[in-house]
Coordinates of all heavy atoms in Angstrom, one line a residue:
Chain A
Q202 N 61.3 33.5 34.7 CA 60.7 34.8 35.4 C 59.2 34.8 35.1 O 58.7 34.6 34.0 CB 61.4 36.0 34.7 CG 62.8 36.2 35.1 CD 63.3 37.5 34.5 OE1 62.6 38.6 34.6 NE2 64.4 37.5 33.9
P203 N 58.4 35.2 36.1 CA 57.0 35.4 36.0 C 56.7 36.5 35.0 O 57.4 37.5 35.0 CB 56.5 35.7 37.3 CG 57.6 35.3 38.3 CD 58.8 35.5 37.5
V204 N 55.7 36.3 34.1 CA 55.3 37.3 33.1 C 53.8 37.5 33.2 O 53.1 36.6 33.6 CB 55.7 36.8 31.7 CG1 55.3 37.8 30.6 CG2 57.1 36.4 31.6
L205 N 53.4 38.7 32.9 CA 51.9 38.9 32.8 C 51.6 39.2 31.3 O 52.4 39.7 30.5 CB 51.5 40.2 33.6 CG 51.6 40.1 35.1 CD1 51.4 41.4 35.7 CD2 50.5 39.2 35.6
F206 N 50.4 38.7 31.0 CA 49.8 39.0 29.6 C 48.6 39.9 29.8 O 47.7 39.5 30.6 CB 49.4 37.7 28.9 CG 50.6 36.8 28.7 CD1 50.6 35.5 29.4 CD2 51.7 37.1 28.0 CE1 51.7 34.6 29.2 CE2 52.8 36.3 27.8 CZ 52.8 35.0 28.4
S207 N 48.5 40.9 29.0 CA 47.4 41.9 29.1 C 46.0 41.2 28.7 O 45.0 41.6 29.1 CB 47.6 43.1 28.3 OG 47.5 42.8 26.9
H208 N 46.1 40.2 27.9 CA 45.0 39.5 27.3 C 45.3 38.0 27.2 O 46.4 37.7 26.9 CB 44.6 40.0 25.9 CG 43.3 40.7 25.9 ND1 43.1 42.0 26.0 CD2 42.0 40.1 25.7 CE1 41.8 42.3 25.9 NE2 41.1 41.2 25.8
P209 N 44.2 37.2 27.4 CA 44.5 35.7 27.2 C 44.6 35.3 25.7 O 43.8 34.6 25.2 CB 43.4 35.0 27.9 CG 42.3 36.0 27.8 CD 42.9 37.4 27.8
V210 N 45.7 35.9 25.1 CA 45.9 35.5 23.7 C 47.3 34.9 23.4 O 47.6 34.6 22.3 CB 45.7 36.7 22.7 CG1 44.2 37.2 22.8 CG2 46.6 37.8 23.1
Y211 N 48.1 34.7 24.5 CA 49.4 34.3 24.2 C 49.7 32.8 24.7 O 50.8 32.4 24.9 CB 50.4 35.2 25.1 CG 50.4 36.6 24.6 CD1 49.7 37.6 25.3 CD2 51.1 37.0 23.5 CE1 49.7 38.9 24.8 CE2 51.1 38.3 23.0 CZ 50.4 39.2 23.7 OH 50.4 40.5 23.3
Q212 N 48.6 32.1 24.7 CA 48.6 30.7 25.3 C 49.6 29.8 24.5 O 50.4 29.0 25.1 CB 47.3 30.0 25.3 CG 46.2 30.7 26.1 CD 45.4 31.7 25.4 OE1 45.8 32.2 24.3 NE2 44.3 32.1 25.9
Y213 N 49.6 29.9 23.2 CA 50.5 29.0 22.4 C 51.9 29.5 22.5 O 52.9 28.6 22.5 CB 50.0 29.0 20.9 CG 48.7 28.3 20.8 CD1 47.5 29.1 20.7 CD2 48.6 27.0 20.8 CE1 46.3 28.5 20.6 CE2 47.4 26.3 20.7 CZ 46.2 27.1 20.6 OH 45.0 26.5 20.5
L214 N 52.2 30.8 22.6 CA 53.5 31.3 22.8 C 54.0 30.8 24.2 O 55.1 30.3 24.3 CB 53.5 32.8 22.8 CG 54.8 33.6 22.7 CD1 55.3 33.5 21.3 CD2 54.6 35.0 23.1
E215 N 53.1 30.9 25.2 CA 53.4 30.5 26.5 C 53.8 29.0 26.6 O 54.8 28.5 27.2 CB 52.2 30.7 27.4 CG 52.4 30.7 28.9 CD 51.1 31.0 29.6 OE1 50.2 31.6 29.0 OE2 51.1 30.7 30.8
S216 N 53.0 28.2 25.9 CA 53.1 26.7 25.9 C 54.5 26.3 25.1 O 55.2 25.5 25.6 CB 51.9 26.1 25.2 OG 52.2 24.7 25.0
R217 N 54.6 27.0 24.0 CA 55.8 26.6 23.1 C 57.2 26.9 23.8 O 58.1 26.1 23.7 CB 55.7 27.4 21.8 CG 56.9 27.2 20.9 CD 56.8 25.9 20.2 NE 57.9 25.7 19.2 CZ 58.3 24.5 18.7 NH1 57.6 23.4 18.9 NH2 59.3 24.4 17.8
Y218 N 57.2 28.0 24.5 CA 58.5 28.5 25.1 C 58.5 28.4 26.6 O 59.3 29.0 27.3 CB 58.8 29.9 24.6 CG 58.8 29.9 23.1 CD1 57.8 30.5 22.4 CD2 59.8 29.3 22.4 CE1 57.8 30.5 21.0 CE2 59.8 29.3 21.0 CZ 58.7 29.9 20.3 OH 58.7 29.9 18.9
S219 N 57.5 27.6 27.1 CA 57.5 27.3 28.6 C 57.5 28.6 29.4 O 58.3 28.7 30.4 CB 58.6 26.4 29.0 OG 58.6 25.3 28.2
L220 N 56.7 29.6 29.1 CA 56.7 30.9 29.8 C 55.9 30.7 31.1 O 54.9 30.0 31.1 CB 56.1 32.0 28.9 CG 56.8 32.2 27.6 CD1 56.2 33.4 26.9 CD2 58.3 32.6 27.8
N221 N 56.3 31.4 32.1 CA 55.7 31.4 33.3 C 54.7 32.6 33.4 O 55.0 33.6 34.0 CB 56.7 31.4 34.5 CG 56.0 31.4 35.9 OD1 54.9 31.1 36.0 ND2 56.8 31.8 36.9
G222 N 53.5 32.5 32.7 CA 52.7 33.6 32.5 C 51.3 33.5 33.1 O 50.8 32.4 33.4
V223 N 50.7 34.7 33.4 CA 49.3 34.8 33.9 C 48.7 35.9 33.1 O 49.3 36.9 32.9 CB 49.3 35.1 35.4 CG1 47.9 35.5 35.8 CG2 49.7 33.9 36.3
S224 N 47.5 35.6 32.6 CA 46.8 36.6 31.8 C 45.8 37.4 32.6 O 45.1 36.8 33.5 CB 46.0 35.9 30.7 OG 46.9 35.3 29.8
V225 N 45.7 38.6 32.3 CA 44.6 39.4 32.8 C 43.7 39.9 31.6 O 43.9 39.4 30.5 CB 45.1 40.7 33.6 CG1 45.7 40.2 34.9 CG2 46.0 41.5 32.8
H226 N 42.7 40.7 31.9 CA 41.8 41.1 30.8 C 41.8 42.6 30.6 O 40.8 43.2 30.8 CB 40.4 40.6 31.1 CG 39.9 39.6 30.1 ND1 39.6 38.3 30.5 CD2 39.6 39.7 28.8 CE1 39.2 37.7 29.4 NE2 39.2 38.5 28.4
W227 N 42.9 43.1 30.3 CA 43.1 44.6 30.1 C 43.1 45.0 28.7 O 43.7 44.3 27.8 CB 44.3 45.0 30.8 CG 44.3 44.9 32.3 CD1 43.4 44.2 33.1 CD2 45.2 45.5 33.2 NE1 43.7 44.3 34.4 CE2 44.8 45.2 34.5 CE3 46.3 46.4 33.1 CZ2 45.5 45.5 35.7 CZ3 47.0 46.8 34.2 CH2 46.6 46.4 35.5
E228 N 42.4 46.1 28.4 CA 42.4 46.7 27.0 C 43.5 47.7 26.9 O 43.6 48.6 27.8 CB 41.1 47.3 26.7 CG 39.9 46.3 26.7 CD 40.0 45.2 25.7 OE1 40.7 45.4 24.6 OE2 39.4 44.1 25.9
P229 N 44.3 47.7 25.9 CA 45.4 48.7 25.7 C 44.8 50.1 25.7 O 45.5 51.0 26.2 CB 46.1 48.3 24.4 CG 45.6 47.0 24.0 CD 44.3 46.8 24.7
G230 N 43.7 50.3 25.1 CA 43.1 51.7 25.0 C 42.3 52.1 26.2 O 41.7 53.2 26.1
E231 N 42.2 51.3 27.2 CA 41.4 51.7 28.4 C 42.2 51.7 29.7 O 43.1 50.8 29.8 CB 40.2 50.7 28.5 CG 39.2 50.8 27.4 CD 38.1 49.8 27.5 OE1 38.1 49.1 28.6 OE2 37.4 49.5 26.5
A232 N 42.0 52.6 30.5 CA 42.6 52.6 31.9 C 42.0 51.4 32.7 O 40.8 51.2 32.6 CB 42.4 53.9 32.6
P233 N 42.9 50.6 33.4 CA 42.4 49.4 34.0 C 41.4 49.7 35.2 O 40.5 48.8 35.4 CB 43.7 48.8 34.5 CG 44.7 49.8 34.6 CD 44.3 50.8 33.5
G234 N 41.5 50.8 35.9 CA 40.5 51.0 37.0 C 41.1 50.5 38.3 O 41.9 49.5 38.3
T235 N 40.5 50.9 39.4 CA 41.0 50.5 40.7 C 40.9 49.1 41.0 O 41.7 48.4 41.5 CB 40.3 51.4 41.8 OG1 40.2 52.7 41.4 CG2 40.9 51.2 43.1
R236 N 39.7 48.6 40.6 CA 39.4 47.1 40.9 C 40.4 46.2 40.2 O 40.9 45.3 40.8 CB 38.0 46.8 40.5 CG 37.6 45.4 40.9 CD 36.2 45.0 40.4 NE 35.1 45.7 41.1 CZ 33.9 45.5 40.9 NH1 33.4 44.7 40.0 NH2 33.0 46.2 41.6

Side-chain angles (χ1 to χ4, degrees):
Chain A
Q202 287 185 50
V204 182
L205 288 169
F206 301 115
S207 68
H208 240 98
V210 292
Y211 296 101
Q212 297 92 339
Y213 292 97
L214 196 74
E215 194 180 343
S216 169
R217 175 74 179 168
Y218 305 107
S219 308
L220 302 181
N221 180 15
V223 168
S224 294
V225 290
H226 243 112
W227 290 15
E228 297 296 335
E231 293 174 14
T235 312
R236 186 183 289 182

